[in-house]
Amino acid sequence: MASEPLPKRLKPSPSLIGTPPVIGTHNGHFHADEALAVYLLRLLPNYQTSKLLRTRDPELLSTCHTVVDVGGEYSPQTNRYDHHQRTFNTTFPERPTKLSSAGLVYLHFGKEIIAHRTRLTAESETVTLLWKKLYTGFVEALDADDNGINVYGPAETKNLKKRFHDGSVSLGSLVGDLNNSYSDDEDSSPSAPKTASQIQAAEDARFLTASNLMGQVFLRKMAYYHRSWLPARIKVADAYSRLASLTPPWNQILILDHPLSWKDHLATIESSQQSQPPVLYVLWGESKAPDAKWRLQAVAVSSESFESRKPLPERWRGLRDDGLSEVIGLDGCIFVHASGFIGGNKTRQGALEMARRAVEDSPLSGEEEIP
């Protein structure tokens, strides 16, 4: 797989200066990748008022300034972004997944889009970090889905059996549902069938609904990574650095002052700190108020797993309030989830003591002082 060098910012041809560039893609059955690709382009100032032409006619597509997911050509120099050629093997930098039209547009214009929306400079390290995170956290899954790439290889799944039918609910499936024309059919009758242009207009409208769906999710992801995930990075690193000076069991309990997006950051930090024992529980206050309640959550074995490294003790699970406090022998307990992955206490000290007992899974034994 080959990663492409990125082109310079889009410069419309002289004949298009002052005229919004027309975006072309195929008509007929649409997918999540071109729906997102079109939306991404329209986030750029040059494309904000661009018209969209959906066709497979090569002559009509040749009149478009930019073409995505159709045409059999990948040429950034001429703004052609198709990935269906047999020779196509382009990937995002340091990633193995072959790109779809969404990935291609994001590869070439993602930094500019992020910079425009966040008001940062496209060359900044922050924009590069967000560009990489948005790809692995969102766009890559769409690339894989459109190219028929499974999350796991056949050898890893041959003995797996589903416990329930999940309905294949995903963004891709939701976009796929919009291809159904039953709502269009309700507006027609045998005596007054729709014309070809009316049918195409209805299909185009459903495509725009799909494009807006994909785009809104993308924008929410970008806002989350920029405003929540990124600031949390420093705070989680600071909290983790304090563990090195603590003795067991406190060095396996990470304390945050308020809710943060900590899971990705903790996994990244731990992967580079092999000498430190793994964090078993993360604590945080529900708000910054002095009387805020506190939560403790068991750390998962991996970022993709629901299995905890060490769930809260089985005898606590599913209990609440006084019943839980009585079993633990600790005031202020609020709840422990039936699976043992999370619990709560009315105070920071109470949550920390619950975590300490969970690490050791034993009652307090000595004159230890809570740090």
Side-chain angles (χ1 to χ4, degrees):
M1 298 283 179
S3 296
E4 284 289 318
L6 303 186
K8 295 180 180 179
R9 183 174 299 181
L10 169 74
K11 292 183 179 179
S13 61
S15 62
L16 289 173
I17 293 176
T19 304
V22 176
I23 302 170
T25 191
H26 62 83
N27 60 349
H29 196 94
F30 49 83
H31 299 95
D33 70 312
E34 74 265 22
L36 178 60
V38 169
Y39 194 96
L40 291 178
L41 287 171
R42 285 175 159 175
L43 290 175
L44 293 166
N46 284 334
Y47 289 104
Q48 279 181 350
T49 58
S50 289
K51 292 182 179 180
L52 175 66
L53 176 62
R54 297 183 69 245
T55 181
R56 292 186 182 274
D57 186 329
E59 290 188 12
L60 292 177
L61 289 172
S62 69
T63 67
C64 297
H65 176 272
T66 303
V67 177
V68 299
D69 208 47
V70 69
E73 182 183 5
Y74 170 43
S75 173
Q77 293 75 21
T78 56
N79 299 301
R80 265 49 187 167
Y81 300 99
D82 195 11
H83 66 108
H84 295 100
Q85 310 84 277
R86 288 187 62 182
T87 57
F88 181 87
N89 64 355
T90 301
T91 65
F92 195 82
E94 301 176 3
R95 299 301 304 165
T97 306
K98 187 166 71 171
L99 300 180
S100 67
S101 61
L104 279 174
V105 170
Y106 185 76
L107 174 70
H108 291 282
F109 300 106
K111 287 185 179 180
E112 188 177 346
I113 290 168
I114 294 168
H116 179 66
R117 299 291 299 193
T118 61
R119 299 184 180 181
L120 298 168
T121 59
E123 297 76 20
S124 70
E125 290 184 9
T126 298
V127 165
T128 297
L129 183 62
L130 290 172
W131 178 64
K132 292 179 178 179
K133 184 60 183 176
L134 262 169
Y135 182 74
T136 57
F138 180 55
V139 181
E140 186 172 21
L142 303 177
D143 288 341
D145 181 70
D146 197 72
N147 284 302
I149 301 170
N150 290 320
V151 177
Y152 300 102
E156 298 167 302
T157 59
K158 65 180 181 180
N159 295 321
L160 292 181
K161 293 183 179 179
K162 282 189 174 183
R163 295 180 178 177
F164 60 91
H165 179 62
D166 59 9
S168 299
V169 177
S170 65
L171 280 174
S173 70
L174 295 178
V175 168
D177 290 345
L178 288 169
N179 281 286
N180 193 318
S181 62
Y182 68 88
S183 59
D184 303 338
D185 298 337
E186 291 173 355
D187 298 330
S188 63
S189 65
S191 59
K194 287 186 175 182
T195 65
S197 61
Q198 288 175 322
I199 292 172
Q200 185 61 60
E203 181 187 285
D204 289 348
R206 286 185 277 109
F207 175 83
L208 291 178
T209 298
S211 186
N212 286 330
L213 168 65
M214 296 303 302
Q216 289 301 310
V217 175
F218 174 84
L219 290 178
R220 288 185 65 84
K221 285 282 188 182
M222 180 165 56
Y224 162 72
Y225 288 132
H226 178 222
R227 299 174 187 171
S228 179
W229 178 85
L230 196 59
R233 194 167 178 246
I234 296 173
K235 295 179 180 179
V236 173
D238 287 345
Y240 187 86
S241 67
R242 292 194 288 270
L243 299 182
S245 62
L246 301 178
T247 57
W250 311 115
N251 60 349
Q252 292 187 279
I253 303 170
L254 188 74
I255 304 174
L256 305 171
D257 292 331
H258 55 88
L260 294 175
S261 304
W262 55 266
K263 295 179 183 178
D264 278 355
H265 301 307
L266 178 59
T268 300
I269 293 168
E270 285 190 321
S271 67
S272 62
Q273 299 288 336
Q274 302 297 330
S275 59
Q276 177 72 22
V279 174
L280 297 180
Y281 302 103
V282 176
L283 278 64
W284 68 89
E286 292 183 356
S287 72
K288 295 181 179 180
D291 59 348
K293 297 173 183 177
W294 278 70
R295 296 287 182 98
L296 66 157
Q297 182 169 341
V299 178
V301 295
S302 74
S303 58
E304 304 295 329
S305 175
F306 290 111
E307 181 185 354
S308 300
R309 289 173 176 173
K310 188 173 186 181
L312 294 169
E314 194 279 334
R315 61 185 177 278
W316 301 0
R317 299 175 200 172
L319 301 180
R320 301 187 62 87
D321 304 321
D322 290 344
L324 178 60
S325 290
E326 183 177 350
V327 168
I328 297 179
L330 180 69
D331 291 339
C333 295
I334 300 173
F335 79 100
V336 169
H337 190 274
S339 67
F341 89 97
I342 195 169
N345 195 283
K346 293 179 180 178
T347 67
R348 176 186 185 277
Q349 182 167 328
L352 188 53
E353 177 59 14
M354 287 176 71
R356 186 201 71 80
R357 296 192 189 191
V359 172
E360 298 183 336
D361 198 8
S362 63
L364 190 64
S365 57
E367 303 294 322
E368 297 178 67
E369 217 173 296
I370 295 177

